[in-house]
């Protein structure tokens, strides 16, 4: 029986003129048959730290009082062999010269999602991709991304990449975990230092991953794979 993989995707500061320096895309994935048990582990961790089941894990909610919970959640990710993550960072959007490559920022956006996700696709498996709803353009973005990935993999009957769906992150614990990881990457690449709790989580990820988070990982890195994409001069 062909294995199905669930990929949970999130993005930060992806708009062209949002005033934010760095753009971050991220994907967390696991076998579809294990997503429920992994979600239960996250919910159990919430209970262990006195948080209600409805508490939404988000980078913007990181605080000193909840730091032990977030550190334990990161340990869950790094200790759980079925969970893997790949992130892509564009450190400075102001350096992008779309005119030079005859593209719009929208074109660039889809190219980066392709760069992030296409490495994960094995034609011998099936995939369902879940993308956090960000704006009113979501449905169009999802359809375009599905077309791009399927065409790149000659998956014209969509038997490999079965679906790309919009979901609400507050309903999907694994998507919330993806938000936490890309939030940390964004924090690093925007050069922020204002929150001791967030700095502690960045340090925890650096320790557990063995990465500075400022440079790309090895291409073959499996657990925490990172591409820091820099514009050509």
């Amino acid at each position: 029986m062909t294995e199905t993989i669930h990929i949970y995707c999130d993005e930060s500061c992806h708009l062209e003129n949002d005033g934010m320096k760095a753009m971050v895309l991220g994907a967390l994935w696991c076998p579809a048959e294990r997503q429920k048990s992994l979600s239960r582990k996250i919910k159990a961790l919430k209970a262990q730290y006195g948080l209600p089941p409805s508490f939404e894990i988000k980078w913007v909610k990181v605080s000193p009082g909840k730091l032990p919970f977030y550190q334990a959640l990161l340990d869950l990710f790094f200790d759980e062999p079925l969970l893997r993550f790949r992130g892509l960072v564009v450190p400075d959007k102001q350096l992008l010269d779309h005119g030079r490559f005859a593209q719009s920022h929208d074109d660039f956006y889809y190219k980066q999602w392709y760069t992030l996700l296409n490495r994960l696709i094995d034609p011998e498996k099936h995939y369902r991709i879940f993308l956090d709803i960000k704006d009113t353009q979501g449905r169009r973005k999802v359809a375009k991304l599905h077309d791009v990935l399927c065409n790149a993999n000659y998956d014209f009957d969509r038997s490999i990449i079965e679906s790309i769906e919009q979901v609400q992150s507050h309903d999907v614990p694994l998507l919330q975990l993806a938000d936490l990881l890309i939030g940390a990457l964004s924090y690093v690449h925007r050069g922020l230092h204002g929150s001791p709790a967030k700095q502690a989580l960045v340090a925890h990820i650096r320790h557990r991953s063995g990465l500075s988070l400022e440079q790309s990982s090895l291409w073959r890195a499996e657990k925490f794979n990172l591409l820091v994409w820099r514009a050509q001069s």
Side-chain angles (χ1 to χ4, degrees):
M1 184 175 180
T2 304
E3 184 179 26
T4 298
I5 303 295
H6 281 188
I7 304 178
Y8 301 90
C9 298
D10 204 354
E11 57 197 10
S12 174
C13 308
H14 56 289
L15 301 176
E16 184 173 15
N17 299 307
D18 57 9
M20 302 296 183
K21 180 180 178 183
M23 166 179 165
V24 184
L25 309 177
L28 179 84
W29 71 98
C30 68
E33 63 181 15
R34 299 302 297 274
Q35 60 90 12
K36 288 184 179 179
S37 63
L38 291 169
S39 295
R40 284 195 293 269
K41 286 185 178 183
I42 294 175
K43 292 177 181 177
L45 206 57
K46 291 180 184 179
Q48 180 182 337
Y49 284 87
L51 298 172
S54 60
F55 176 78
E56 185 172 4
I57 299 158
K58 291 182 74 68
W59 179 257
V60 297
K61 290 186 175 182
V62 171
S63 64
K66 295 184 177 64
L67 180 59
F69 163 73
Y70 280 110
Q71 288 174 324
L73 182 61
L74 290 175
D75 285 334
L76 172 64
F77 164 74
F78 282 105
D79 293 338
E80 176 51 69
L82 295 176
L83 285 173
R84 297 179 181 181
F85 176 79
R86 176 165 162 81
L88 184 151
V89 179
V90 179
D92 192 346
K93 290 182 290 186
Q94 292 182 350
L95 299 179
L96 299 175
D97 184 0
H98 295 317
R100 178 182 173 191
F101 298 96
Q103 66 183 8
S104 66
H105 186 75
D106 239 19
D107 295 331
F108 175 78
Y109 169 84
Y110 289 110
K111 287 178 182 178
Q112 298 309 95
W113 267 119
Y114 164 81
T115 299
L116 175 74
L117 290 172
N118 199 53
R119 183 186 180 280
L120 311 183
I121 304 301
D122 178 346
E124 299 301 317
K125 297 179 180 180
H126 298 310
Y127 295 86
R128 292 181 65 194
I129 299 174
F130 302 90
L131 187 66
D132 189 18
I133 296 174
K134 291 292 186 186
D135 53 49
T136 57
Q137 299 298 314
R139 184 176 297 178
R140 179 185 63 83
K141 287 160 63 175
V142 163
K144 176 72 176 290
L145 183 58
H146 200 179
D147 286 342
V148 168
L149 284 173
C150 287
N151 291 342
N153 289 278
Y154 302 98
D155 181 26
F156 303 118
D157 62 355
R158 302 193 172 186
S159 60
I160 301 171
I161 305 163
E162 295 180 346
S163 64
I164 301 183
E165 306 168 37
Q166 286 183 287
V167 292
Q168 296 281 0
S169 62
H170 60 71
D171 296 325
V172 187
L174 292 172
L175 188 54
Q176 295 171 31
L177 178 54
D179 174 277
L180 187 69
L181 293 170
I182 72 163
L185 291 174
S186 181
Y187 195 81
V188 169
H189 285 273
R190 289 166 61 196
L192 301 177
H193 304 284
S195 166
K198 289 180 177 178
Q199 289 185 63
L201 286 186
V202 167
H204 201 68
I205 294 172
R206 283 172 166 155
H207 171 70
R208 292 300 313 263
S209 68
L211 300 174
S212 71
L213 305 183
E214 296 170 5
Q215 303 294 331
S216 298
S217 67
L218 293 175
W219 185 87
R220 64 178 179 273
E222 292 292 338
K223 183 65 180 181
F224 195 104
N225 186 285
L226 177 60
L227 172 61
V228 179
W229 188 96
R230 301 187 187 278
Q232 297 177 357
S233 58

